[in-house]
Amino acid sequence: MCRIDATGRMSLAILFVSGAFAVPALSAPVIIQQPAAQTVQIGSTATFSVVAPGAATYQWQRNGSNIASAVAPTYTTRALSAQNNGDRYGVTVSGGGVTISSSTAPLRVTGLSLIAGVVGRGWGAVDGPPGQTRFWAPYTLSADAAGYLYMGDWNTVRRLAPTGAVTTLAGESRTCSEVPGTGTTARFCFPLATLPIGNGDILMGDWRGLLWQITPAGTATMVTGAQFGCVSGLTGNASTFYVADMCLGNVLWRVQNGVTSAFATLSSMPGQVSQDGAGNLYVAEGTFIEKVSPTGVVTLLAGGPSPGHADGQGIAASFGCSAMQPSDEYLTAYNGAFGITTLTDGTSYVTDPCNHTVRKVSPTGVVTTFAGTAGQIGSADALGANARFWTPLGVAHDRQGNIYVSDEYNPNVRKITPAARVSTFSGAPVSWGTTDGPGPSARFNFNGVGGGVALDAAGTLYVSDKGNHTIRRVSPTKIVSTWAGSAGLTGVADGVGGTARFNYPAGIALDVAGTLFVADHYNHTIRSITSAGMVSTLSGTAGTPGTADGPVRQAQFAFPRAMAADSSGALYVSDVNGLRKISNGLVTTLERSTPSFDYSSVEGIAVDSAGLIYLTHVGYHSIYTMTQAGVRTLLAGGGCGGYGPNCFGRIDGPGNAARFMRLRALAIGNDGMVYVSDAYAGRVARVTPSGDVTTVVGDGQWPITSRLGPLPGRLAGGGPIAMLPGQPVSFIMTDGFENTILRVDLP
């Protein structure tokens, strides 16, 4: 100890007590501030701290395991991912021979993350070099003398350079309206036809029957009001051009020096129109091609009234399919010949989208298959019949005789040489497939729609892979496997696993016992799958649509689509007939379809704990509630059809002031809110019980492709939702535009 001597100097004295040093006693540590729960965005760090007087050492733990070098009162994590959700952090402090542990603090990581598939390889809208470009719904193509291509792509007009590089001239993909302007300030509604008219200007015709003129700088002005029904094709020049009108009386119009007159009456609904060097017009009309002379005389060139894919001359040839490929109804391709381009000598090239081929038609009506093989879907670049397309639509040619095709569902632009060599000119095919395996290596074919998702109590996810005709399973560790059905094979067979067959399985739902139910859309049946993978038919007659209610074995369905289960195990199914309920072995109809409310357009169903039913209606862009007594009420949206601002849009707000674009599906969160995916708006919205709508995921901005990471993130599209247990709200969703499965964790 210290003491002061007589001189005032300090000296040190050592006190011996019982022959040993006397060490002052140290106090034990006390934690007066525990580590606190943290919520951060994906990619950020989190900092945990403790206040513990008397602590001499610290050791932090994550989920009970020591963290190397985490030995200070404060610990900051590395950049975090969705996998860190639910991690718990605590600390052990020691001092005075005493060691104590803190409470553990939970970590919440919010954001948008990937479970399976690959982001950025699907439908979207991205400008740039040919290998980086993305298209959303490439519909029409035309070519100018300089070799530039012009495309109507959803609500935009895009220009492709001779190199394949893409720029967007005008329009905004996620907005359907009619507003003159420049670039993205201009607004269109589904451009279906383009026509270069010189000096880099083009004419464009849209779904609402409007004609627009667009300059090379992207300035769009309206040439005519809604004079036509809907413009499906344009050909000619600046002074005289022809308008194929898909919606108004099968008319081919002529606009000459600004004066419009009916030029010819066609035999069927026209697709696109082209012109040869002699002034003859050629119109693709589904199952046949018609030729129109310069004086307006109409003759049949090739094809007939019956669909098919026969080569031959005149009426011996055929175009189209007896049954269209199921797809998103707003993107369903024309059945039969749709796109047409004609060389100066009268040789035409025609797209046959539902057969996935490009046909060649001679001036005398001899039809041959130029590229692709009927009924074979794919994206293969190859020669002639070995090439593969997926719903080819628009077609154009350059001065060298090369053919360009907008391949809608791949979606990209293909180039075909005069020798029928097919290559990808711009864009990249959708990353669709059937591959099982770890999440990022797995591939799906949701066909732009996606059927349904369901999550069991063990954390296993079930997905109806509609385009592959299978039910896929995703383990909690993100391993994807095919649980039932066989990829690419349709049928009605019951059985275990891969021996079973489906035909475009749509909505799915799990009951409280763990049985999975499937709305087997084109089989008109409801299927069940046990936990052991045994598939059986619960209700409906395979291949035979019907309306009958009654015992499940006798009842019938017609194109069942959305499905949900309530807490009692009752199932709710939308089909052409109405909203059906399956409970206690009986099928009943809660509300029948009517001309004013068609249940075949109900794509989302959810049921809350009180039995209140929620519905999304595709055609009316709205959300409804329904009681068990069948009383339906508008909850949010305009409650009307069409693409006008009163019905259609991406607007948050209360009740019927909110606007939606393409409502996929909905689910009820543990917070009592409804979460709905709006695919064409690229968002997920939260809807309160009173109908107030707020976007929680997806910024809706350009370029349109999913962007993972911090919220709001960006969605290419959006699909069915499965809620994860607990709070705050987390859910899993599919994106049919990119064939991915995503996870969303909200704050």
Side-chain angles (χ1 to χ4, degrees):
M1 65 181 200
C2 295
R3 67 181 182 185
I4 306 299
D5 63 17
T7 65
R9 294 178 295 182
M10 185 172 63
S11 62
L12 180 65
I14 299 176
L15 179 65
F16 288 89
V17 178
S18 302
F21 291 107
V23 180
L26 297 177
S27 60
V30 177
I31 297 177
I32 62 174
Q33 181 177 308
Q34 298 281 353
Q38 302 290 315
T39 298
V40 299
Q41 292 262 33
I42 286 177
S44 299
T45 61
T47 299
F48 296 89
S49 61
V50 67
V51 178
T57 63
Y58 302 81
Q59 176 60 63
W60 287 90
Q61 294 95 26
R62 170 179 171 264
N63 299 331
S65 298
N66 288 345
I67 303 170
S69 303
V71 291
T74 298
Y75 169 65
T76 299
T77 68
R78 297 178 179 179
L80 296 162
S81 69
Q83 282 69 35
N84 296 115
N85 255 317
D87 284 354
R88 301 191 72 89
Y89 289 82
V91 62
T92 299
V93 297
S94 299
V98 176
T99 298
I100 59 174
S101 296
S102 71
S103 60
T104 58
L107 174 67
R108 174 77 174 173
V109 183
T110 65
L112 181 65
S113 57
L114 179 71
I115 290 179
V118 58
V119 166
R121 289 290 300 276
W123 294 343
V126 182
D127 288 346
Q132 299 176 20
T133 55
R134 295 291 180 269
F135 303 99
W136 202 355
Y139 208 77
T140 181
L141 282 179
S142 59
D144 67 13
Y148 283 84
L149 296 174
Y150 299 88
M151 172 193 291
D153 185 12
W154 205 239
N155 296 313
T156 62
V157 175
R158 306 179 75 182
R159 179 173 59 202
L160 287 72
T163 62
V166 177
T167 56
T168 298
L169 275 180
E172 204 283 319
S173 289
R174 295 204 190 274
T175 304
C176 172
S177 188
E178 309 100 1
V179 180
T182 299
T184 58
T185 66
R187 296 287 186 268
F188 314 119
C189 203
F190 307 121
L192 302 185
T194 54
L195 173 65
I197 56 174
N199 300 320
D201 284 9
I202 66 166
L203 283 178
M204 181 271 286
D206 68 15
W207 180 257
R208 291 183 174 173
L210 305 179
L211 288 180
W212 300 76
Q213 186 164 340
I214 305 174
T215 70
T219 298
T221 55
M222 197 179 297
V223 177
T224 66
Q227 183 172 354
F228 309 103
C230 45
V231 179
S232 57
L234 290 169
T235 193
N237 54 50
S239 62
T240 302
F241 59 89
Y242 299 87
V243 180
D245 194 338
M246 184 186 288
C247 302
L248 195 60
N250 302 332
V251 175
L252 185 65
W253 303 91
R254 179 171 63 188
V255 181
Q256 192 167 40
N257 297 319
V259 178
T260 301
S261 60
F263 182 66
T265 299
L266 304 169
S267 300
S268 184
M269 184 174 70
Q272 296 179 349
V273 59
S274 60
Q275 192 171 24
D276 67 15
N280 296 297
L281 303 174
Y282 301 82
V283 188
E285 297 178 42
T287 58
F288 49 84
I289 309 294
E290 288 194 315
K291 180 179 179 179
V292 184
S293 75
T295 60
V297 177
V298 180
T299 57
L300 176 67
L301 182 62
S306 299
H309 198 275
D311 289 341
Q313 185 168 16
I315 61 173
S318 59
F319 305 85
C321 306
S322 57
M324 285 292 293
Q325 173 188 325
S327 61
D328 187 313
E329 63 270 28
Y330 290 167
L331 297 177
T332 298
Y334 200 71
N335 185 6
F338 178 77
I340 187 168
T341 189
T342 304
L343 307 183
T344 56
D345 68 357
T347 300
S348 297
Y349 294 87
V350 176
T351 58
D352 193 347
C354 67
N355 282 314
H356 314 289
T357 56
V358 178
R359 317 289 291 279
K360 182 178 180 178
V361 185
S362 78
T364 58
V366 176
V367 178
T368 55
T369 300
F370 186 57
T373 297
Q376 299 295 311
I377 294 174
S379 59
D381 290 337
L383 182 66
N386 293 320
R388 294 291 178 267
F389 301 89
W390 193 4
T391 315
L393 285 180
V395 62
H397 71 274
D398 64 17
R399 288 187 170 184
Q400 290 72 45
N402 296 301
I403 307 302
Y404 299 86
V405 176
S406 58
D407 198 2
E408 185 186 29
Y409 282 102
N410 265 317
N412 52 19
V413 177
R414 316 290 288 281
K415 179 179 179 179
I416 313 176
T417 68
R421 172 67 63 181
V422 179
S423 60
T424 299
F425 178 66
S426 190
V430 172
S431 183
W432 60 278
T434 64
T435 307
D436 288 337
S441 66
R443 297 293 179 267
F444 305 89
N445 184 3
F446 295 139
N447 198 231
V449 179
V453 293
L455 191 71
D456 70 14
T460 298
L461 182 73
Y462 298 87
V463 182
S464 57
D465 194 352
K466 193 172 184 181
N468 281 326
H469 313 290
T470 56
I471 305 298
R472 312 287 289 279
R473 185 163 58 179
V474 187
S475 74
T477 58
K478 302 183 183 179
I479 303 300
V480 178
S481 58
T482 300
W483 192 44
S486 184
L489 299 179
T490 61
V492 301
D494 290 338
V496 178
T499 65
R501 296 290 181 268
F502 302 90
N503 196 349
Y504 285 88
I508 61 176
L510 277 164
D511 70 7
V512 292
T515 301
L516 186 75
F517 296 91
V518 181
D520 198 354
H521 188 70
Y522 274 81
N523 278 331
H524 314 293
T525 55
I526 308 301
R527 315 289 290 280
S528 65
I529 311 177
T530 68
S531 57
M534 172 59 74
V535 179
S536 58
T537 300
L538 174 70
S539 190
T541 303
T544 303
T547 64
D549 286 342
V552 290
R553 297 298 181 187
Q554 300 171 21
Q556 291 182 308
F557 292 82
F559 303 98
R561 189 169 191 173
M563 178 181 283
D566 67 17
S567 58
S568 71
L571 297 173
Y572 301 81
V573 183
S574 64
D575 73 352
V576 170
N577 303 307
L579 182 62
R580 320 290 293 279
K581 182 177 180 179
I582 306 174
S583 180
N584 297 319
L586 292 175
V587 177
T588 57
T589 300
L590 295 181
E591 185 181 37
R592 291 277 176 189
S593 289
T594 65
S596 62
F597 198 90
D598 178 9
Y599 272 91
S600 67
S601 294
V602 170
E603 192 162 309
I605 303 175
V607 188
D608 70 14
S609 58
L612 185 64
I613 306 162
Y614 294 81
L615 311 168
T616 59
H617 195 285
V618 171
Y620 288 161
H621 321 294
S622 297
I623 304 170
Y624 296 83
T625 61
M626 177 180 282
T627 67
Q628 291 291 324
V631 178
R632 177 170 42 82
T633 304
L634 177 67
L635 178 65
C640 56
Y643 303 108
N646 292 331
C647 301
F648 186 83
R650 189 183 192 273
I651 302 173
D652 290 349
N656 61 8
R659 293 291 177 266
F660 302 97
M661 295 179 68
R662 206 312 183 173
L663 291 169
R664 283 274 195 241
L666 75 170
I668 299 170
N670 298 311
D671 57 356
M673 304 294 180
V674 173
Y675 292 84
V676 59
S677 63
D678 188 357
Y680 294 167
R683 66 168 174 166
V684 175
R686 178 192 289 124
V687 186
T688 69
S690 62
D692 290 340
V693 176
T694 305
T695 298
V696 293
V697 185
D699 61 11
Q701 299 300 307
W702 188 277
I704 297 175
T705 183
S706 293
R707 184 183 67 196
L708 307 179
L711 294 174
R714 186 170 299 159
L715 296 172
I721 295 171
M723 286 289 168
L724 290 160
Q727 288 195 40
V729 171
S730 294
F731 54 86
I732 295 171
M733 64 184 293
T734 64
D735 187 333
F737 286 178
E738 293 190 331
N739 289 304
T740 54
I741 302 177
L742 305 172
R743 172 171 171 153
V744 175
D745 295 286
L746 299 178

